[in-house]
Amino acid sequence: MKKLIIIFLTSAFYIQHCFAVTGQITVLESPLFSQPDETSKILQYKRKGAEIYIHKQEVIQDEFEDLSFNNPKGIKADKNKDLFIGDEKLYYPELDGKFFKTLTSNGQEAFVLKEHVFLILKDKRELSQKIIEHDHTDYRISEPLPKDYPFYSEEGYRGVSIFAFGIPNYSPYNYTEKVIDTEFSTSKEISFIWSRAEDVDYRKRFFFGLMTGLHHSSINFLTTNFKSTQENMRFFLGPLAGYDIYRTKENALNIYTSTQFYLYDKMKITIEDNNSEASEERSYQSNLGISQVFGANYQFFKIIHEFDVVLGLNGRINLPRTYTAESSAGNQEFWKSTGSNDSYSQDLTTELSLYFAFQSYY
């Protein structure tokens, strides 16, 4: 009795296959669903290259579609009509549906996405089939594998070390004599940028972070009887926002802006008498200064091992601020006021500098 049941089931299985066509899986791993719905239960998975059976009604072809053939009046062919089987038992596929009806390995009815299957029809219809361009089931990592795989570090972080040179620009102290000449020296600035790519743009071209650094510069002022040197030292810190307006695999053009706060801003003033050896030094401190920075740079990727070389232009707008003396003075001829409350105002100034930098991603 068991043998008869097995023979009957096997016969039914192969008879069902005789009325089907074959399809080949074209994606890495295609699920077979219990219903023509991607949220339904998954009965089985088929790997790329596997052949499955597709219900014949999915690919039924009119034998006379290439011929000029007209049905006689009063007679209309119905390729789905079967007088021996009730219509309710027939399978009518949706012409624009997303699924093919198929079978699992144990003969259970299932549904597979059409875009995952290439039908083996052995006729010209194979030429019109399209193979999916992007396999969304392929979870494998593309080769070559990332460096240090499978150990990953944080991605999207950018660090920049900047060395800038420019011309200083700040107002002179209120000397007792009129300034008749000015001599500038090269300003020097070392700064660091730490930023992270944000998901504002799927291309991850927006970067937000912090910029901090040190600035040193000096200017010589000459009066009729005195020579003065003003030496400025600043430490700044502030948020930064940048955007890569152009980027390839080798280069990038970045623009950025930063609002910076001077946490330390000291002006050391040294005055020397031209007619004698008398001189005096005094320091002035600004409590809190603010500047706005605008910049642009061009980046050359992986020039020095893992480091990028960056060339840039940096512009700074310094808001007005006041410098106050840290101590009293002794020579009344040099200073407007010798008291510890001596102060002078710094006007709105702009500075421009060029820089080179080393950049890395981590």
Side-chain angles (χ1 to χ4, degrees):
M1 184 65 180
K2 291 182 179 180
K3 290 183 178 180
L4 291 175
I5 294 174
I6 294 173
I7 293 172
F8 174 77
L9 292 175
T10 304
S11 301
F13 180 73
Y14 281 102
I15 289 172
Q16 202 168 19
H17 285 189
C18 292
F19 293 95
V21 295
T22 304
Q24 189 175 60
I25 300 298
T26 59
V27 295
L28 180 65
E29 196 171 58
S30 179
L32 302 186
F33 299 96
S34 60
Q35 300 294 330
D37 184 351
E38 292 183 71
T39 62
S40 62
K41 182 180 179 181
I42 296 176
L43 302 177
Q44 192 176 21
Y45 285 95
K46 291 290 185 178
R47 299 286 287 187
K48 188 173 185 177
E51 293 188 355
I52 62 174
Y53 291 96
I54 304 297
H55 197 287
K56 190 173 182 179
Q57 289 295 118
E58 299 281 7
V59 292
I60 193 167
Q61 184 181 25
D62 189 348
E63 298 177 3
F64 304 102
E65 66 178 356
D66 295 330
L67 301 176
S68 298
F69 181 84
N70 294 321
N71 291 321
K73 187 176 181 180
I75 300 176
K76 185 177 181 181
D78 187 349
K79 55 190 176 186
N80 292 322
K81 188 70 174 177
D82 191 332
L83 299 177
F84 296 97
I85 304 177
D87 290 348
E88 70 278 5
K89 294 184 180 180
L90 289 177
Y91 171 62
Y92 296 92
E94 296 181 15
L95 297 179
D96 298 326
K98 296 172 59 178
F99 294 87
F100 284 138
K101 190 174 184 179
T102 182
L103 295 173
T104 62
S105 299
N106 59 3
Q108 187 177 358
E109 289 186 350
F111 295 87
V112 64
L113 286 167
K114 290 182 179 180
E115 62 181 14
H116 291 180
V117 181
F118 182 85
L119 299 176
I120 303 174
L121 302 171
K122 298 181 180 180
D123 58 36
K124 68 178 183 179
R125 287 177 294 173
E126 289 188 359
L127 300 176
S128 62
Q129 295 187 68
K130 295 182 180 180
I131 298 177
I132 188 171
E133 294 182 0
H134 174 66
D135 184 358
H136 53 272
T137 70
D138 192 348
Y139 50 81
R140 298 173 299 181
I141 300 175
S142 300
E143 295 186 357
L145 295 177
K147 185 180 178 181
D148 300 328
Y149 178 84
F151 301 101
Y152 288 97
S153 60
E154 293 286 352
E155 295 182 354
Y157 294 91
R158 176 186 283 178
V160 189
S161 298
I162 298 174
F163 305 90
F165 303 91
I167 298 176
N169 181 25
Y170 40 81
S171 305
Y173 172 75
N174 297 323
Y175 297 106
T176 57
E177 297 181 358
K178 183 179 179 180
V179 175
I180 60 176
D181 197 9
T182 303
E183 181 183 11
F184 297 92
S185 63
T186 302
S187 65
K188 305 169 188 65
E189 193 169 287
I190 299 176
S191 55
F192 305 92
I193 294 176
W194 176 89
S195 59
R196 183 180 66 180
E198 299 294 337
D199 295 330
V200 177
D201 180 7
Y202 73 94
R203 296 168 297 180
K204 292 192 174 181
R205 293 192 177 195
F206 279 102
F207 287 82
F208 296 93
L210 290 174
M211 184 176 187
T212 184
L214 287 170
H215 170 96
H216 177 268
S217 61
S218 64
I219 301 178
N220 294 328
F221 297 98
L222 185 64
T223 67
T224 303
N225 297 303
F226 307 134
K227 178 184 177 182
S228 171
T229 300
Q230 292 188 198
E231 185 177 357
N232 185 222
M233 179 73 73
R234 312 175 204 148
F235 171 69
F236 53 85
L237 174 69
L240 174 137
Y243 180 70
D244 291 343
I245 60 176
Y246 168 79
R247 187 170 65 194
T248 65
K249 291 183 179 180
E250 294 81 22
N251 307 103
L253 177 61
N254 176 266
I255 57 174
Y256 61 89
T257 184
S258 174
T259 300
Q260 298 177 356
F261 301 91
Y262 292 144
L263 304 182
Y264 177 85
D265 185 5
K266 178 176 286 190
M267 187 76 70
K268 185 172 71 172
I269 303 176
T270 304
I271 302 178
E272 299 177 358
D273 192 332
N274 296 332
N275 302 317
S276 66
E277 296 182 357
S279 66
E280 191 168 14
E281 181 181 294
R282 207 173 182 189
S283 294
Y284 289 76
Q285 178 74 35
S286 173
N287 292 329
L288 181 63
I290 300 175
S291 69
Q292 187 66 40
V293 172
F294 300 94
N297 59 56
Y298 198 79
Q299 305 167 6
F300 302 88
F301 297 150
K302 311 300 181 186
I303 298 298
I304 304 176
H305 193 47
E306 294 296 320
F307 291 94
D308 307 336
V309 173
V310 181
L311 300 177
L313 177 68
N314 196 71
R316 183 188 299 274
I317 301 174
N318 293 307
L319 299 183
R321 57 194 187 277
T322 300
Y323 287 95
T324 303
E326 293 183 338
S327 60
S328 59
N331 194 330
Q332 296 182 354
E333 295 181 0
F334 290 164
W335 311 100
K336 185 178 180 180
S337 173
T338 57
S340 58
N341 60 345
D342 186 25
S343 64
Y344 79 98
S345 298
Q346 186 73 248
D347 298 329
L348 178 73
T349 59
T350 59
E351 297 173 345
L352 191 65
S353 60
L354 299 174
Y355 67 84
F356 70 92
F358 298 103
Q359 175 177 273
S360 63
Y361 290 85
Y362 53 95

